[in-house]
Amino acid sequence: MKILTTIEAIQNYATSCKTQGKTIALVPTMGALHEGHLTLMRAARKKCDIVIASVFVNPTQFGPNEDYDAYPRQFEADCEKLESVAVDAVFHPEPTEMYPEGYCTYVNVEGDITHKLCGAQRPGHFRGVATVVTKLINLSRADEAFFGQKDAQQVTVIRRFVEDLNINVHINMVPIAREENGLARSSRNSYLSTEEKNAALVLSRSLKQAKAAFSQGETEVTALENIVRQELGKEPLAHIDYVKAYAYPSLKPLKQVNEDTLLAIAVKIGKTRLIDNVILSA
Ligand code: AMP
């Protein structure tokens, strides 16, 4: 597996792949890789000749009081995992390589889709995401890019700017990988103590209950949100940031689940903010 750390190196690599007529898949990550990331790599592997992963803790998507400094960094272990799923190249730049002195251009997706859910809680987050993903797509010359349903709002935002800016890439969304006990896999799970990890099971449990109620005929959005809130409320270590359902992928408000609907939650367990969701298919 090639390790690329400079803009020039990834550009040269992408150009040589293209010259050979190869298709390129991009899988952006912030590292501390787990099975969730690897499901994205496998999906990319199936679809394209070349898979380029990126491992970059992107400073522009973190707020001033968020966990940028504490975010787990374990590049060597990440490389072993990427090799195990036959990734061709990993792009691992320093922040100054991506944002050198004088850098001042950002991709800002305006409007409703970035102002709700995680966008309401994390001002500037999607501006940072949209900026880095635009740069990574340009650099890798990707035909296909892969993202997880775990960050379903992010996928809506990325699809929006890809369409608006006429970027020639196809965006793929891969289902959430979970531990056997239901917990959505996340690099931030490593912050949790054993007690908190047990408490965190309430996220997937609450969504499962809402999904079961939906299967049994409950289609009222507030009723489904309340089922989730009630279950979360039983766990003393859980503090709700939001529990909200929106039409998916548009993220438009709705009262009844009469189209595909994202039921999304953000919950703090101790100091760790976790997100999870289900998509209810109408
Ligand atoms: P991150 O490293 O957390 O920025 O995530 C990189 C990519 O992996 C994003 O597209 C995430 O949505 C995706 N991802 C993270 N966790 C999971 C998971 N449990 N299942 C599927 N995709 C995931």
Side-chain angles (χ1 to χ4, degrees):
M1 183 176 70
K2 287 199 181 334
I3 297 178
L4 313 169
T5 58
T6 64
I7 301 290
E8 194 188 355
I10 186 172
Q11 283 176 327
N12 288 343
Y13 180 69
T15 302
S16 81
C17 295
K18 284 283 168 185
T19 310
Q20 295 167 49
K22 293 184 169 160
T23 56
I24 299 177
L26 168 72
V27 188
T29 81
M30 297 204 299
L33 300 180
H34 50 67
E35 192 52 37
H37 296 114
L38 299 189
T39 58
L40 269 61
M41 305 297 162
R42 290 190 195 101
R45 183 71 284 162
K46 274 199 195 139
K47 210 159 175 183
C48 287
D49 301 323
I50 297 289
V51 179
I52 303 179
S54 63
V55 170
F56 179 58
V57 184
N58 174 35
T60 62
Q61 72 189 66
F62 287 79
N65 299 317
E66 293 183 355
D67 57 344
Y68 175 70
D69 288 329
Y71 200 84
R73 288 160 172 89
Q74 44 187 58
F75 185 60
E76 273 182 32
D78 289 346
C79 284
E80 279 175 27
K81 288 179 186 157
L82 293 173
E83 298 220 54
S84 78
V85 289
V87 165
D88 297 283
V90 57
F91 180 50
H92 181 55
E94 288 294 325
T96 50
E97 186 71 12
M98 292 295 271
Y99 304 107
E101 215 183 303
Y103 188 94
C104 55
T105 303
Y106 293 88
V107 177
N108 201 18
V109 179
E110 294 179 358
D112 216 28
I113 58 170
T114 53
H115 292 156
K116 51 185 56 165
L117 301 173
C118 288
Q121 313 256 320
R122 305 184 67 190
H125 171 67
F126 286 117
R127 174 181 182 261
V129 169
T131 302
V132 80
V133 172
T134 302
K135 284 166 73 72
L136 292 169
I137 291 169
N138 280 341
L139 288 168
S140 63
R141 301 184 61 179
D143 302 283
E144 305 278 339
F146 291 78
F147 299 89
Q149 184 198 317
K150 168 111 186 313
D151 299 273
Q153 183 181 17
Q154 171 173 282
V155 174
T156 293
V157 172
I158 290 169
R159 286 190 167 139
R160 182 76 260 163
F161 77 72
V162 162
E163 188 177 333
D164 290 352
L165 298 178
N166 314 112
I167 301 175
N168 197 9
V169 66
H170 178 246
I171 302 301
N172 299 268
M173 185 169 84
V174 177
I176 302 178
R178 298 179 180 281
E179 291 182 12
E180 267 159 34
N181 58 21
L183 181 66
R185 293 183 189 269
S186 165
S187 305
R188 290 188 169 98
N189 290 348
S190 66
Y191 298 150
L192 302 170
S193 67
T194 309
E195 189 193 8
E196 288 173 338
K197 221 172 167 195
N198 275 330
L201 298 180
V202 75
L203 277 84
S204 53
R205 192 164 65 238
S206 67
L207 290 170
K208 207 168 158 191
Q209 288 181 4
K211 198 173 174 185
F214 172 67
S215 309
Q216 284 155 27
E218 180 59 82
T219 58
E220 186 120 1
V221 160
T222 43
L224 293 166
E225 289 171 351
N226 282 338
I227 290 168
V228 175
R229 273 203 195 91
Q230 252 176 29
E231 187 61 24
L232 291 171
K234 292 181 194 161
E235 172 49 63
L237 292 182
H239 297 279
I240 297 174
D241 268 4
Y242 64 72
V243 174
K244 284 300 286 179
Y246 291 108
Y248 198 78
S250 69
L251 298 185
K252 295 223 163 81
L254 80 180
K255 292 201 164 99
Q256 296 285 332
V257 181
N258 46 23
E259 58 186 297
D260 284 359
T261 297
L262 175 73
L263 180 52
I265 62 180
V267 177
K268 281 210 186 76
I269 302 286
K271 286 188 179 151
T272 305
R273 183 175 179 279
L274 300 175
I275 57 172
D276 199 351
N277 68 71
V278 287
I279 294 177
L280 307 173
S281 303

